[in-house]
Amino acid sequence: MSGVGLFPFTEEHEMIRQAARDFAQNEITPIAAEFDESGEFPYETIMKMGEMGFMGIEVSEDYGGTGMDTLAYVLALEEICKADASHGVIMSVNNSLFCYGIEKFGSEYVKQKYLRAVASGKSVGAYSLTEPMSGSDAGTMRCTAVREGDEYVINGRKSWVTSGPVASYIVLFVMTAPEKKHKGITAFVIDTDQPGFSVGKKEPKLGIRASATSEILFEDYRAPVENRLGEEGEGFKIAMAVLDAGRIGIATQALGISEAAYEASLAYAREREAFGQKIGEFQGIAFKLADMKTRIEASRLLVYSAALAKERSKESGERFTLEASIAKLFSSETSMFVTHAAVQIHGGMGYSKEIPVERYFRDAKITEIYEGTSEIQRLVISRLESGIR
Ligand SMILES: Cc1cc2nc3c(=O)[nH]c(=O)nc-3n(C[C@H](O)[C@H](O)[C@H](O)COP(=O)(O)OP(=O)(O)OC[C@H]3O[C@@H](n4cnc5c(N)ncnc54)[C@H](O)[C@@H]3O)c2cc1C
């Protein structure tokens, strides 16, 4: 099942899906376990993904992107994530959190200066909202920017930055008016080559180990006023609008992981024997596979629907917060359900590093945490539905 008939797939969609599938199977699958084990950043394959146009799929060709739509983006990302969730998150953050944020909220000057290199995949982009003492509640962040003439002086520590150690440019959120809490947050684009920026401790992680995650530190870093995104105090609004796009990426990542775990389980259930029969013939295993498949297909519908909602928003200007949150919540929880079942179906082999099923299980967990935990998605959905703020 692919959603054909329900969704307006074109030949271009099929072409990018096939190109991503071939690349993922030929170039990523063979190295995924090795990079997971070493925790090294997979530069070579990420640069190749840039050359193939995967790092700025929705960005206009005028700014170095591929100029395709959101459905094309999720179809390609799904294939990459099916092979390796680490490559997937690097691609998702680059496309959804950096490029989307800059294209939507950056001035012409910012787009010309910072978007081209990242959208074309020559440089890596990142997004930094979280701090050691501030995650779900961004209004408590402590990193500050103080205006001095035509510059802002930035100080503080941000944490958990995906691609933090390798990014050339970062969309950064800091306080310009701490007493106003979330209404005092301002967004900037940061050039990591400038003095005052450094990479802090690398975060040791359970999964997505080949994606580089670290703290980043600012010590009297000077950002020109032209590098501000929007006005002072608009940072929280920008951060949340960008996360709407990001959550579709993470929902897609979860979908890709689920599919990989399901396909491995199905193949194993058809081949492995116990008590004189294939284990897939036991109802206990067959029903698990049925539940996995059902939830995956429901996730797929939600992910593609959210992609269409984002695409419509380009014309209408309407937010797609609800669609993105629902897709992320369901697809990430499905991913945990499916990978948990996949380990069980594989028995002892599911626990072995000789096959990727244990990696899928470790990788799936993060999709319930970053870009808004499942609790935060429930908060967003219930508030939007009830109208109670
Ligand atoms: C591998 C990894 C990569 C990441 N990459 C990035 C990145 O690139 N950029 C970035 O800015 N951040 C990134 N993050 C940070 C991530 O977005 C945060 O960890 C996440 O938003 C949760 O924040 P927290 O860890 O501070 O948890 P907390 O906010 O402290 O939450 C702890 C627990 O309390 C629950 N909780 C909090 N508030 C509520 C509430 N109102 N109602 C119910 N429950 C609640 C949470 O759901 C969670 O279960 C990354 C994190 C990880 C682990």
Side-chain angles (χ1 to χ4, degrees), residues 13-29:
H13 289 129
E14 291 303 341
M15 274 167 62
I16 193 165
R17 190 206 317 246
Q18 194 56 50
R21 183 175 294 163
D22 291 345
F23 181 81
Q25 288 174 358
N26 297 332
E27 308 255 356
I28 300 179
T29 301

Side-chain angles (χ1 to χ4, degrees), residues 343-357:
V343 171
Q344 196 64 22
I345 289 171
H346 282 79
M349 279 313 289
Y351 207 71
S352 165
K353 281 193 180 284
E354 283 177 20
I355 61 166
V357 173

Side-chain angles (χ1 to χ4, degrees), residues 137-292:
D137 184 8
T140 59
M141 68 169 62
R142 296 172 182 185
C143 203
T144 56
V146 177
R147 186 155 181 176
E148 281 186 11
D150 287 341
E151 293 179 327
Y152 285 87
V153 182
I154 300 179
N155 279 290
R157 174 193 301 258
K158 307 294 282 187
S159 58
W160 290 108
V161 187
T162 298
S163 299
V166 295
S168 300
Y169 310 112
I170 301 176
V171 171
L172 174 75
F173 301 89
V174 290
M175 278 292 183
T176 43
E179 71 288 354
K180 292 188 185 163
K181 301 206 166 162
H182 63 277
K183 289 189 175 151
I185 299 173
T186 302
F188 294 88
V189 57
I190 292 300
D191 181 342
T192 62
D193 238 2
Q194 295 302 308
F197 174 88
S198 60
V199 174
K201 97 171 155 77
K202 195 176 167 203
E203 312 283 6
K205 305 195 296 287
L206 171 73
I208 53 163
R209 288 175 38 74
S211 71
T213 319
S214 73
E215 291 190 338
I216 56 173
L217 313 173
F218 294 89
E219 214 174 325
D220 292 335
Y221 178 99
R222 291 187 167 266
V225 71
E226 297 82 42
N227 283 28
R228 198 181 64 208
L229 303 178
E231 298 298 322
E232 275 192 23
E234 286 185 353
F236 184 75
K237 212 176 68 188
I238 294 174
M240 294 304 119
V242 173
L243 280 179
D244 288 347
R247 286 169 185 168
I248 296 177
I250 302 310
T252 308
Q253 182 190 33
L255 175 62
I257 299 169
S258 298
E259 284 169 15
Y262 173 71
E263 284 178 18
S265 303
L266 195 59
Y268 198 72
R270 284 176 176 153
E271 169 198 305
R272 176 76 176 174
E273 291 186 5
F275 299 95
Q277 65 186 71
K278 307 286 182 204
I279 60 164
E281 290 165 14
F282 293 118
Q283 197 179 57
I285 300 290
F287 279 15
K288 265 195 181 60
L289 288 163
D291 287 342
M292 291 157 84

Side-chain angles (χ1 to χ4, degrees), residues 110-131:
V110 161
K111 286 186 211 173
Q112 291 294 352
K113 192 159 179 198
Y114 300 108
L115 189 50
R116 182 171 300 279
V118 177
S120 63
K122 292 190 178 70
S123 302
V124 176
Y127 168 103
S128 175
L129 179 68
T130 306
E131 296 184 2

Side-chain angles (χ1 to χ4, degrees), residues 66-144:
T66 308
M68 294 181 81
D69 64 7
T70 314
L71 212 42
Y73 167 55
V74 300
L75 290 173
L77 182 60
E78 185 182 336
E79 295 299 330
I80 301 295
C81 294
K82 207 168 154 182
D84 180 34
S86 292
H87 281 77
V89 71
I90 299 161
M91 175 174 164
S92 175
V93 166
N94 209 80
N95 277 272
S96 311
L97 295 188
F98 186 90
C99 292
Y100 177 75
I102 299 285
E103 199 169 27
K104 193 166 170 65
F105 296 103
S107 63
E108 189 56 30
Y109 163 82
V110 161
K111 286 186 211 173
Q112 291 294 352
K113 192 159 179 198
Y114 300 108
L115 189 50
R116 182 171 300 279
V118 177
S120 63
K122 292 190 178 70
S123 302
V124 176
Y127 168 103
S128 175
L129 179 68
T130 306
E131 296 184 2
M133 301 305 287
S134 163
S136 305
D137 184 8
T140 59
M141 68 169 62
R142 296 172 182 185
C143 203
T144 56

